[in-house]
Amino acid sequence: MQHSMALLTPLVQFSRRRLFWTALALLALTACGGADDAASNGTAGTVNQLLSEPGAGTAALVAATPTRPAPALEPAPPMPVALSPDGERPLLEAIARSYPFRKQIETKEQTGQVRALEAARIEANLDQAKLDLAGIKRNLATLSAGGLPTYALIHSVASNGSLNAWIVLPDGGVVAGATSVPYVGLGTLQGGLGVDRIAETRGPQRQEKQRLDADSEVDVEADLDTGIGAEIDADEDADADVDADNDRGAGKRDNSPESIRKRQETLAEAAATLLPGDIRQVLAAGEGRLLVVPVSDTGTAPYAALPIRNQDDFAARRWSFVVMQDLNVLAGDSSGFDMGKVDLSKSVIVGDPDDMRDVRYSFPALPGARKEAQAIARELGIAEQNVLIGADATRKNVVRAIDRSAGEGVIYMATHAVADAKNPLTRGFVVLSQQNLFAGELRTEQFRGWDEHQPLVVMSACQTALGRVFEGGTFGVARTWTNAGAGQVVASLWNVSDRATYRLMTRFV
């Protein structure tokens, strides 16, 4: 069903409507599943990118210490020289070109319709771009003053097709990099990491296909100990019942030396593409929090697992990652979400719905999600009426409970989810008992109290950060939660086992 080892990171505070989502950081790539595309394989658990959590008061994000000691590394390289003010002109032009992309997704949020892109008026928009870049620098300085150096990574596709990247440093300096070949997207990443086959045995599957063994899972410890990622300390007594339900022996990842080499090469190629030139050297020289402003599908990369100084030096050892909804969030001056204002006792917990229905998919039960929801409800001291498990996890009951909480707590859902790359609103949904909750309904939902309080929404379900890819980023279930008024969304990318997600998320909470 779900994930594999968490990075805890403190949230940045921004405006209510323009919030950003984060995705769980998947360090143990060998335990993760995947899908050929979001339209053909939703699922119950997932992971990849980074996850967020409370700092005191403002937004101090802190990366958790990995359970496996980091290998000895060569000395950090020097920080690259920042661009001169004149050298920042290409970044200003890229910001000016991004405005039509942002407007297109805003229209999708507001109307559900896809609006044709307007021609970018670069010269006319340069003044606004200068204001936005100044706002980004100001916000990074403010966030860094809280103790955790905060950087911003901005991606843009150039007219020649190359992926351009800029890192804005806490002191306002800018470092640039660019790929030497056209950017063609991240479509080959999952195949190179070997996650496609495992995805076929997990989560929702098309009804017309022969049902595979969805209960078959991999031994998590064996998967993790492959040189790619960090391991989880397993409490075998506490996890015994979940283990019994999941360890069936099928769908195991190929951990031969050749397959491990291929995964390492895939990650190295992804790092060279997403962190080109001096961008990667900034990460090798520094540490802290990196706010990613994506273009196209670059927000769906496993940044935490990318190798930096060498193939064993994963970015997550020194960096936490937050994917921003758009550049306007990073440049804005309002302070929206504050985890310190969330009343955990008023949270709504949903887990392992019974009677899961859809005309296109069949869904396996999720014993790990049930156990996860029960454990988290106990940990947070949630009232019984706000713990909806099995047959109680109907759409009607969930919406009522969310209204009762009035936005003051966490909305936590441990279930299946389906993302759709073509029709994210009408075919993307969170699975509940009898009737699912569709992204299109979330886009227009008016939850009581959300104008005053902006809750944290945790989607402990696969592919909730996926959807339709636009030039300005990805539109799907996570983004519709923010449109409804959520202060922040923890979402996920790939399909991972039910048991691994239970272990990850109980530690996260």
Side-chain angles (χ1 to χ4, degrees), residues 14-95:
F14 290 106
S15 67
R16 176 168 103 56
R17 279 239 185 230
R18 297 242 170 263
L19 303 148
F20 53 85
W21 49 265
T22 62
L24 298 176
L26 180 61
L27 302 185
L29 286 173
T30 52
C32 89
D36 290 334
D37 57 70
S40 64
N41 188 19
T43 183
T46 31
V47 97
N48 256 50
Q49 221 143 280
L50 174 142
L51 102 105
S52 51
E53 254 315 32
T58 61
L61 261 66
V62 180
T65 302
T67 56
R68 177 184 298 178
L73 300 174
E74 61 270 22
M79 187 68 71
V81 176
L83 300 173
S84 67
D86 289 342
E88 294 180 8
R89 168 82 184 205
L91 172 55
L92 292 172
E93 292 177 349
I95 293 173

Side-chain angles (χ1 to χ4, degrees), residues 97-333:
R97 282 196 301 270
S98 73
Y99 296 142
F101 301 157
R102 190 173 74 203
K103 184 64 176 177
Q104 184 182 53
I105 293 190
E106 286 176 352
T107 301
K108 180 71 172 176
E109 288 175 334
Q110 295 163 5
T111 69
Q113 302 300 311
V114 178
R115 169 178 167 173
L117 281 171
E118 300 174 353
R121 299 178 298 162
I122 296 177
E123 291 297 328
N125 289 334
L126 275 179
D127 287 342
Q128 182 59 49
K130 292 176 182 177
L131 292 174
D132 282 345
L133 182 55
I136 290 170
K137 293 180 177 181
R138 183 172 58 251
N139 286 334
L140 293 178
T142 300
L143 290 165
S144 299
L148 186 64
T150 302
Y151 301 63
L153 172 63
I154 301 172
H155 281 145
S156 176
V157 176
S159 57
N160 66 359
S162 66
L163 182 67
N164 289 351
W166 294 269
I167 279 190
V168 185
L169 310 179
D171 64 4
V174 177
V175 173
T179 61
S180 59
V181 297
Y183 179 68
V184 294
L186 300 175
T188 62
L189 183 61
Q190 291 185 10
L193 293 175
V195 300
D196 295 327
R197 171 57 190 166
I198 289 183
E200 294 178 0
T201 65
R202 297 175 181 162
Q205 292 186 9
R206 293 280 188 176
Q207 294 279 21
E208 63 267 22
K209 291 183 179 180
Q210 181 178 358
R211 182 69 201 174
L212 298 176
D213 183 8
D215 293 327
S216 300
E217 299 294 352
V218 188
D219 183 289
V220 176
E221 282 70 49
D223 263 357
L224 293 177
D225 191 19
T226 63
I228 299 184
E231 57 189 26
I232 296 173
D233 293 329
D235 181 343
E236 296 301 338
D237 293 334
D239 296 346
D241 55 335
V242 178
D243 294 348
D245 283 337
N246 285 286
D247 286 343
R248 310 285 187 189
K252 286 192 175 182
R253 180 179 303 284
D254 181 358
N255 284 328
S256 66
E258 175 62 22
S259 294
I260 292 174
R261 182 190 62 77
K262 182 178 180 181
R263 293 199 287 272
Q264 291 172 336
E265 289 178 352
T266 298
L267 287 171
E269 290 171 2
T273 298
L274 298 164
L275 309 171
D278 286 347
I279 302 298
R280 191 170 181 176
Q281 188 172 338
V282 171
L283 270 65
E287 61 183 19
R289 171 175 47 205
L290 187 64
L291 310 181
V292 180
V293 180
V295 66
S296 186
D297 64 349
T298 65
T300 65
Y303 287 95
L306 297 182
I308 304 302
R309 298 180 192 171
N310 58 50
Q311 69 178 22
D312 295 319
D313 177 35
F314 301 99
R317 297 197 187 281
R318 293 183 307 282
W319 292 90
S320 62
F321 297 83
V322 179
V323 176
M324 311 300 290
Q325 182 163 302
D326 56 43
L327 184 139
N328 194 48
V329 178
L330 189 54
D333 58 3

Side-chain angles (χ1 to χ4, degrees), residues 463-482:
Q463 301 188 8
T464 45
L466 297 182
R468 182 169 176 176
V469 176
F470 293 88
E471 284 89 342
T474 302
F475 185 94
V477 172
R479 191 141 185 160
T480 55
W481 276 111
T482 65

Side-chain angles (χ1 to χ4, degrees), residues 346-364:
K346 296 183 179 178
S347 299
V348 175
I349 311 295
V350 178
D352 187 26
D354 288 343
D355 195 12
M356 296 179 282
R357 305 177 185 180
D358 187 80
V359 295
R360 294 174 299 137
Y361 297 98
S362 59
F363 302 99

